[in-house]
Amino acid sequence: MSTTLSPVETIKADSRGLRGTLIQSLNDAYTGALREPDQTLLKFHGSYQQDDRDLREERAEQKLEPNYSFMIRTRTPGGVVTPAQWLAFDAIARRYGGGSLRLTTRQAIQLHGVIKRELKATLQAINQSLIDTIAACGDVNRNVLVSANPIESAAHAQVYADAVALSEALLPKTRAYHEIWLDEEPVAGTPEHEPLYGPTYLPRKFKTAFVVPPQNDVDVYAHDLGYVAIVEDGVVLGYNVTVGGGLGMTHGDARTYARAASVLGYVPRGREIAVAEAVLTTQRDHGDRADRRLSRLKYTIDRLGVDWFRAEVERRSGVVFEAARTVRFTARGDRFGWIQGSDGHWHLTLRLSAGRIADRDDGQLLSALRQIAEVHRGDFRITANQNLIVAGIAPEDRPAIERLFLDTGLAELLQRSPLELNALACVALPTCPLAMAEAERYLKEFSAEVQTLLARHGVPDEPVSLRISGCPNGCSRPYLAEIALVGKAPGRYNLHLGGDAFGERLNRLYRENIDVAEILRVLDQSFARWLGERRPAEAFGDFAHRVLLDKGTR
Ligand code: SRM
Ligand code: SF4
């Protein structure tokens, strides 16, 4: 491990509790950008500087600076948002965010295209809705995921409460956010003590998820820290704790890889925060701070060993892990349409392709959801699959919501095959600076083409999971899908096959750097073999894992 610190470590160390020169950067009217170190610090406040990549060349030709703008991401544990908050975001999107909202794979809302001089006003408006963006990005514990529909049963409600408490406990202590964006009186002298994080925070981002089996809708094994609820008779007894999941990798750098989390063991309910603090501080003290490509917890664990890590967490937390309890996942996707909860209330899960909500020619989604928010008395739940649940609808309120669901076209979005309903794509172009190929803008077309192939092979209703990421960072969690496209260059992808249906097995590279026509040809042939040679009810991913990958990987 190199001892030369990455430049980001110096920026954090010199930042006076994440303040840097953000205020000066914001006040500089000569550019739409922030100073470079402030771009790094801004992430800890829940925002990224970006530029419109569709316009880059044209702007450069005109000798203009790139069309800078900002993405803002919320901290919404479990993706829970009240109707009032939804209406506030609707108004914020229309005023500052180009009329678009984006639901993410981590149950957050993102705004894109906010310009620098309106960044503060946008963050203030978000705060007025009683949602914040603190630690939504950056080298800290980020938005905590929770299996969706937590009010469907008493156990879900307990798990949601535990997740919210954990999210609060792991927040940084600095008041920088309140000073810079909310005009709180500046703290004089040395910045606040960060008992958990220390002055340089974590070596890298840190992600936590809570899951309620049998539904693995958060892909718990993709997270740095996971809690698998052990429920008996509607009561949460405790959690199996998982560590070291992570998906990001870099093309051509064999030191980087996707990793499914390891199980540390079981702890009774009430010990989650002690365990989280110990996991987090162990990573704080032992993670690689030289090479950010190798600084996620998964590499720390592989370097030091799972047994060492477990012992260290036990030593720091005083918690002794018991043997992990037996857990069985039997599903992963969202449960679309109407479902009645154990308390008699209804939940309506809507399909929002790649989580994008805007009023466009192919659907007035932003306005449709506003109409629902105006009458809804329960809450909204963003799922980790970029969809939205209108949750907690009292039986007497169902007819009004159902009418809107039918009249505004939202119902039509559910008239899709299982493959299309469950397919995911990351944002990619035009806002993501790291995108190598299209993802969100290509999802509908590509999933329809794969669906056509399934139909041609006579299995239109097979729920094959399909995910597209515009680069190997894996924001749509592609490495846990049965079929995944990972962007390599415009129109070219790596094709991965062989994940299982419940998010427990990583897929593998099957074909490298091929164009879309070739991908469809390969899938066509693979489907033919699957249907000719499959074991009874064998899923495509399982067949690919058993047969195709052993024989045809390159
Ligand atoms: Fe991600 C970076 C979007 C979930 C792995 N991710 C980015 C950035 C911020 C690009 C950047 O660094 O400048 C993307 C912004 C695009 C845009 O224009 O909005 C971006 N990531 C997203 C979202 C919006 C994808 C989506 O379509 O929903 C998700 C927002 C989550 C949230 O609300 O917090 C998102 N990102 C994920 C996930 C999935 C998850 O966490 O469940 C992963 C894989 C899991 C993991 O972390 O291992 C993921 N994003 C990354 C990585 C690779 C990290 C690594 O360990 O190597 C990067 C790049 C980086 O950190 O250097 C990245
Ligand atoms: Fe951007 Fe890559 Fe993440 Fe897609 S996977 S949003 S292209 S960083």
Side-chain angles (χ1 to χ4, degrees), residues 122-295:
T122 312
L123 284 163
Q124 288 185 343
I126 290 174
N127 236 265
Q128 274 157 17
S129 78
L130 302 183
I131 286 179
D132 65 59
T133 65
I134 303 173
C137 323
D139 297 343
V140 281
N141 181 56
R142 297 186 171 195
N143 195 39
V144 176
L145 300 199
V146 189
S147 285
N149 242 350
I151 55 170
E152 197 182 321
S153 70
H156 279 90
Q158 294 161 46
V159 173
Y160 173 64
D162 291 347
V164 172
L166 187 133
S167 172
E168 294 296 319
L170 301 190
L171 276 179
K173 297 283 178 269
T174 171
R175 300 297 293 175
Y177 182 90
H178 304 81
E179 283 173 24
I180 295 168
W181 311 106
L182 308 179
D183 295 329
E184 187 179 281
E185 203 53 39
V187 170
T190 48
E192 306 80 352
H193 176 53
E194 293 279 12
L196 266 182
Y197 290 107
T200 48
Y201 298 85
L202 296 180
R204 203 64 160 88
K205 55 175 68 165
F206 186 90
K207 299 179 171 181
T208 305
F210 283 73
V211 70
V212 185
Q215 192 83 1
N216 188 15
D217 55 346
V218 298
D219 282 328
V220 69
Y221 297 109
H223 302 266
D224 297 276
L225 176 59
Y227 294 91
V228 183
I230 306 299
V231 182
E232 252 178 50
D233 299 328
V235 176
V236 179
L237 302 180
Y239 296 96
N240 283 351
V241 177
T242 64
V243 289
L247 301 183
M249 55 170 131
T250 305
H251 286 316
D253 185 344
R255 299 170 309 159
T256 65
Y257 48 84
R259 184 183 191 280
S262 314
V263 180
L264 285 189
Y266 169 85
V267 295
R269 186 168 182 225
R271 311 314 308 272
E272 315 76 69
I273 293 178
V275 167
E277 290 181 349
V279 171
L280 195 141
T281 57
T282 305
Q283 161 68 351
R284 177 196 67 196
D285 298 341
H286 294 277
D288 186 333
R289 289 182 185 262
D291 186 346
R292 286 180 68 80
R293 284 186 183 180
L294 303 179
S295 53

Side-chain angles (χ1 to χ4, degrees), residues 479-531:
Y479 309 116
L480 286 164
E482 294 173 87
I483 302 173
L485 268 53
V486 176
K488 190 85 182 168
R492 300 184 77 85
Y493 299 85
N494 285 353
L495 173 64
H496 288 242
L497 299 181
D500 69 325
F502 312 128
E504 294 180 295
R505 183 181 63 228
L506 294 170
N507 57 28
R508 278 164 40 209
L509 178 65
Y510 186 57
R511 292 284 188 274
E512 197 170 353
N513 194 15
I514 53 178
D515 65 21
V516 175
E518 179 66 8
I519 292 171
L520 290 170
R521 246 190 321 272
V522 171
L523 288 179
D524 195 17
Q525 288 162 2
S526 305
F527 289 160
R529 286 202 58 189
W530 166 45
L531 295 163

Side-chain angles (χ1 to χ4, degrees), residues 426-429 432-437 439 469-476:
C426 72
V427 179
L429 294 162
C432 180
L434 309 177
M436 299 171 179
S469 274
C471 84
N473 285 319
C475 298
S476 60

Side-chain angles (χ1 to χ4, degrees), residues 48 50 71 73 102-106 108 110 112 136 204-205 207 222-223 246-249 296 386 425-427 431-434 473-475 477:
Y48 283 70
Q50 304 183 318
M71 175 267 271
R73 185 184 282 169
R102 177 65 160 59
L103 307 186
T104 76
T105 50
R106 296 193 65 77
Q110 279 189 186
H112 289 99
R204 203 64 160 88
K205 55 175 68 165
K207 299 179 171 181
H223 302 266
L247 301 183
M249 55 170 131
R296 288 293 291 273
Q386 304 170 325
C426 72
V427 179
T431 52
C432 180
L434 309 177
N473 285 319
C475 298
R477 297 189 291 268

Side-chain angles (χ1 to χ4, degrees), residues 251-424:
H251 286 316
D253 185 344
R255 299 170 309 159
T256 65
Y257 48 84
R259 184 183 191 280
S262 314
V263 180
L264 285 189
Y266 169 85
V267 295
R269 186 168 182 225
R271 311 314 308 272
E272 315 76 69
I273 293 178
V275 167
E277 290 181 349
V279 171
L280 195 141
T281 57
T282 305
Q283 161 68 351
R284 177 196 67 196
D285 298 341
H286 294 277
D288 186 333
R289 289 182 185 262
D291 186 346
R292 286 180 68 80
R293 284 186 183 180
L294 303 179
S295 53
R296 288 293 291 273
L297 178 64
K298 60 184 174 182
Y299 302 116
T300 313
I301 290 180
D302 281 347
R303 182 161 37 83
L304 297 169
V306 177
D307 291 338
W308 178 90
F309 195 83
R310 182 187 295 107
E312 184 64 12
V313 171
E314 289 184 335
R315 190 183 69 74
R316 290 181 185 228
S317 65
V319 174
V320 178
F321 288 103
E322 297 170 30
R325 302 286 163 90
T326 306
V327 169
R328 207 165 150 250
F329 290 110
T330 57
R332 169 152 67 148
D334 293 334
R335 289 158 286 188
F336 291 101
W338 291 97
I339 298 174
Q340 193 165 27
S342 49
D343 60 357
H345 280 58
W346 287 94
H347 311 292
L348 171 62
T349 305
L350 305 170
R351 165 67 180 167
L352 301 165
S353 182
R356 182 66 67 182
I357 303 169
D359 286 348
R360 292 187 175 152
D361 292 346
D362 58 350
Q364 305 284 301
L365 287 185
L366 189 67
S367 296
L369 289 169
R370 182 171 68 185
Q371 288 183 59
I372 289 189
E374 279 164 353
V375 300
H376 181 39
R377 296 191 296 160
D379 55 30
F380 291 97
R381 301 194 174 225
I382 301 159
T383 79
N385 295 313
Q386 304 170 325
N387 295 311
L388 188 68
I389 305 174
V390 188
I393 303 167
E396 62 275 20
D397 293 343
R398 179 174 163 164
I401 305 261
E402 185 143 30
R403 207 167 315 115
L404 287 171
F405 171 58
L406 296 171
D407 291 352
T408 57
L410 288 168
E412 282 162 40
L413 303 179
L414 296 186
Q415 308 306 312
R416 302 278 184 281
S417 65
L419 176 138
E420 289 168 297
L421 285 174
N422 290 299
L424 302 184

